[in-house]
Amino acid sequence: MDRKPHILLIYTGGTIGMVKDYESGSLKAFDFNTLLKSIPELNQLDCNIDSVSFDKPLDSSNMNPEHWAKIAELIEINYSVYDGFVVLHGSDTMSYTGSALSFMLENLTKPVILTGSQLPIGDLRTDAKENLITSIQLAALQENGKAVIQEVGLYFEYKLYRANRTTKINAEHFQAFSSLNYPPLAESGVHLKVFRENIDKPKATKILKVHKKMDTNVAILKIFPGLNESVLKNVLNIPDLKALVLETYGAGNAPTEKWLLNCLKNAISCGLHIVNVTQCSGGSVIMGQYETSKELSKMQVINGKDITTEAAITKLMYLLGSNVSSKMFKTFFETSLRGEMQ
Ligand code: ASP
């Protein structure tokens, strides 16, 4: 490649671009161009950087599927012009957005890297500069005229992960994310090391397909000792509910009480898709390994294997939005579409 890579920065909000309101003491979003001026180091990078910003930068707690669609659309309309995309985003829901984008952007062959920070960019001890600069470098990495990373990644505190494998695990450490079921795609130290064996190889020559329709008739229920029949029934009977992520214990285990199994069985026979995901941060659901998951398997609960809750809920929204038939839904969910499960 004989020209410098072109990178588009998409600023959605988050701590990275916030300043302290000294009257109230809380952090609030501020102007993105001012933000860029505080990092003169960006001029030293060997790539051309353009930026677009959300009109109203968001604390990522306010992110929703409409905002995901907006990010996906920005990538879609700029896809042929840019070699890579860096999405600046609050860390709170970054794993949800990263997971959602991985499903929304089918046949991606260019890097989309989400990053943010725990401290604002203007803060003396900020983690924002390293996160931003290395994310841009990763998005600009090319080999034989092709992007090295061709999937949706999440870069934070020296590690690039597959975004749909991540979870926010810490509200104050700089190392805020982990990816317990999949190794990092790259690591930044003295050298920027890319672990090619961990990177998804996209199917060649298929064109980018952007899916913006996400169906939000979904819910998450975490099982706990003492969950009672009324609570479970009320969740399962939510009007228009189409799919539920059931966070179970350990390797996918749930109580074997008759009322609970009957409630789930009834809901499934009425058409509700129930996905079994473990509440453990790492490891996989193994349906049928214990007596306590045998019945779930028999009643056709979907096996979430080693998927994260963030990837499971966004995959449900995506599959429901794509009108996958009820008959094929379980098969589609249990198939890894973007490297989100084993
Ligand atoms: N509340 C912030 C957000 O998610 C936290 C952060 O940016 O890290 O937007």
Side-chain angles (χ1 to χ4, degrees):
M1 177 152 174
D2 48 11
R3 66 172 184 94
K4 284 185 182 183
H6 281 59
I7 303 300
L8 183 66
L9 281 186
I10 301 173
Y11 176 61
T12 70
T15 298
I16 192 162
M18 290 184 179
V19 280
K20 202 168 201 154
D21 179 328
Y22 285 98
E23 267 172 32
S24 65
S26 51
L27 289 168
K28 58 174 198 197
F30 104 137
D31 177 59
F32 184 62
N33 289 320
T34 320
L35 169 89
L36 280 186
K37 278 192 203 117
S38 31
I39 329 173
E41 293 92 329
L42 290 181
N43 298 324
Q44 291 174 36
L45 292 173
D46 198 24
C47 55
N48 295 315
I49 305 167
D50 291 327
S51 63
V52 286
S53 174
F54 272 25
D55 295 337
K56 260 186 87 194
L58 295 172
D59 183 299
S60 76
S61 304
N62 286 320
M63 265 293 155
N64 63 38
E66 280 172 34
H67 300 118
W68 300 338
K70 198 165 147 187
I71 302 170
E73 190 170 84
L74 281 170
I75 293 169
E76 184 179 28
I77 55 183
N78 289 290
Y79 196 68
S80 58
V81 181
Y82 291 92
D83 302 293
F85 302 85
V86 173
V87 181
L88 295 172
H89 192 288
S91 62
D92 288 349
T93 64
M94 199 186 288
S95 293
Y96 289 93
T97 301
S99 299
L101 287 176
S102 76
F103 298 118
M104 293 168 114
L105 303 170
E106 191 179 351
N107 304 326
L108 191 66
T109 52
K110 295 185 178 183
V112 172
I113 297 181
L114 285 91
T115 195
S117 65
Q118 292 282 53
L119 284 174
I121 205 140
D123 196 287
L124 259 188
R125 294 176 49 254
T126 189
D127 52 331
K129 284 192 185 181
E130 200 284 323
N131 285 349
L132 175 57
I133 289 168
T134 307
S135 294
I136 296 173
Q137 285 184 319
L138 286 164
L141 275 187
Q142 302 266 325
E143 197 177 68
N144 303 326
K146 280 201 180 120
V148 172
I149 292 138
Q150 309 193 356
E151 56 178 297
V152 182
L154 184 154
Y155 183 80
F156 226 85
E157 189 64 1
Y158 305 115
K159 292 220 171 81
L160 176 72
Y161 301 111
R162 176 169 298 154
N164 62 26
R165 290 292 196 150
T166 62
T167 303
K168 184 169 180 183
I169 44 133
N170 202 299
E172 53 187 68
H173 289 175
F174 285 151
Q175 193 173 341
F177 290 89
S178 84
S179 164
L180 283 167
N181 286 335
Y182 199 76
L185 308 181
E187 202 167 338
S188 165
V190 172
H191 304 287
L192 202 51
K193 269 197 207 150
V194 177
F195 306 116
R196 281 162 202 268
E197 64 282 13
N198 301 337
I199 294 178
D200 217 10
K201 318 260 175 325
K203 345 266 159 293
T205 65
K206 287 202 176 165
I207 60 159
L208 178 76
K209 213 164 149 194
V210 181
H211 306 267
K212 292 175 208 149
K213 200 166 155 226
M214 301 293 260
D215 189 329
T216 57
N217 288 303
V218 293
I220 299 173
L221 177 67
K222 182 171 185 160
I223 286 192
F224 56 93
L227 170 69
N228 70 33
E229 191 166 351
S230 154
V231 169
L232 181 64
K233 273 195 172 152
N234 275 290
V235 172
L236 295 174
N237 290 327
I238 292 170
D240 300 325
L241 187 71
K242 295 181 188 157
L244 176 76
V245 173
L246 189 67
E247 278 199 359
T248 56
Y249 306 128
N253 306 314
T256 47
E257 286 168 274
K258 265 230 145 56
W259 63 264
L260 184 136
L261 296 175
N262 283 338
C263 279
L264 297 176
K265 212 180 282 175
N266 264 337
I268 291 172
S269 66
C270 292
L272 187 73
H273 304 292
I274 301 182
V275 183
N276 188 355
V277 170
T278 175
Q279 18 185 290
C280 295
S281 332
S284 182
V285 162
I286 307 173
M287 303 261 270
Q289 187 185 26
Y290 290 87
E291 197 60 43
T292 41
S293 66
K294 255 212 166 87
E295 285 304 314
L296 302 180
S297 177
K298 269 197 221 153
M299 67 174 86
Q300 296 296 300
V301 164
I302 297 170
N303 188 347
K305 305 178 196 174
D306 64 348
I307 201 167
T308 60
T309 297
E310 292 88 334
I313 197 79
T314 51
K315 188 172 183 175
L316 285 177
M317 291 186 203
Y318 161 70
L319 290 178
L320 292 168
S322 306
N323 294 324
V324 170
S325 71
S326 288
K327 234 175 122 195
M328 291 308 294
F329 199 91
K330 185 173 186 293
T331 311
F332 266 89
F333 195 98
E334 291 178 352
T335 307
S336 175
L337 302 178
R338 311 280 191 268
E340 74 283 1
M341 65 194 333
Q342 58 187 216

